[in-house]
Amino acid sequence: MSAPASASNRRMLRKLLVVALGMFGFGFALVPLYEKVCEVAGLRNVWQPGQAEASAVNSQVDLTRTVTIEFDSNTRMLPWTFKPMASSVEIHPGELTQMVYEVRNTQNEPVTGQAVPSYGPRLAAQYFRKLDCFCFTQQTLAAGEVRQMPVVFVIDPDLPKDVNTITLSYTFFRVDGANLKAGKG
């Protein structure tokens, strides 16, 4: 290789190294610049110590009002005692709530039942969202068994403002077909 070509290649190599180092440095300089732009634009969404409580707030909860939820329980042709653990609760619409019901089989043999919910006033049903409920499946209780069963629900914040009380009533019915399959009929 000739001397002028070799010198030209070295100059080009130096220029490329300077450009590469410049690009590398520019990448590091972008981090504080990016943080500043996000802060000015209000896009800063980086966790800061002491802000964990604020980020965990459910913005769907209507804190401007409360609704009383009354709980009722009944059985039809079923040898069970069935009751809610509290007769009522006061909640804010949009707030996740859990109520526990207790059921006891008073017979000396297994019995299967299914709970059916009803609501008062009737229009409340469309605003009552059950996320988990013992009413979704049949319940088989052994002889003398006692079970605590939760219902987890949310009242839709769009519930009309004039509805201040909702009654959630469950009626447990005997499911004889399940006992016939087991030879208990």
Side-chain angles (χ1 to χ4, degrees):
M1 201 179 247
S2 69
S6 179
S8 175
N9 285 344
R10 273 186 253 143
R11 276 193 308 272
M12 180 59 78
L13 179 62
R14 279 190 227 120
K15 288 178 183 178
L16 288 174
L17 285 175
V18 168
V19 168
L21 286 173
M23 288 173 40
F24 188 74
F26 184 71
F28 271 101
L30 279 179
V31 173
L33 179 65
Y34 173 78
E35 288 180 354
K36 195 59 160 174
V37 167
C38 288
E39 185 178 321
V40 168
L43 300 174
R44 189 165 176 87
N45 193 16
V46 178
W47 179 79
Q48 299 289 323
Q51 291 183 350
E53 300 81 24
S55 65
V57 173
N58 183 350
S59 62
Q60 301 299 313
V61 176
D62 181 358
L63 297 174
T64 64
R65 68 183 193 146
T66 59
V67 176
T68 301
I69 310 298
E70 297 174 339
F71 301 98
D72 180 46
S73 59
N74 306 286
T75 59
R76 294 285 186 260
M77 303 181 331
L78 207 57
W80 290 358
T81 59
F82 175 52
K83 63 181 180 180
M85 300 308 287
S87 60
S88 67
V89 295
E90 289 205 4
I91 64 167
H92 297 288
E95 183 176 37
L96 185 66
T97 306
Q98 176 176 303
M99 172 51 62
V100 177
Y101 282 78
E102 184 178 272
V103 64
R104 176 186 310 262
N105 181 359
T106 59
Q107 232 178 18
N108 292 330
E109 64 182 9
V111 178
T112 300
Q114 175 80 44
V116 177
S118 60
Y119 308 89
R122 184 173 291 173
L123 75 93
Q126 61 189 340
Y127 299 99
F128 207 100
R129 310 277 186 258
K130 289 189 295 280
L131 305 175
D132 186 24
C133 183
F134 55 88
C135 65
F136 293 159
T137 59
Q138 293 180 359
Q139 304 293 323
T140 301
L141 272 64
E145 181 181 356
V146 177
R147 186 180 300 169
Q148 293 195 348
M149 302 177 299
V151 57
V152 179
F153 62 91
V154 173
I155 302 300
D156 191 320
D158 292 334
L159 177 74
K161 301 285 186 203
D162 62 335
V163 178
N164 298 316
T165 303
I166 297 174
T167 301
L168 172 62
S169 180
Y170 283 104
T171 302
F172 250 112
F173 293 91
R174 185 176 194 133
V175 179
D176 286 324
N179 289 340
L180 290 174
K181 289 180 198 170
K184 301 281 186 192

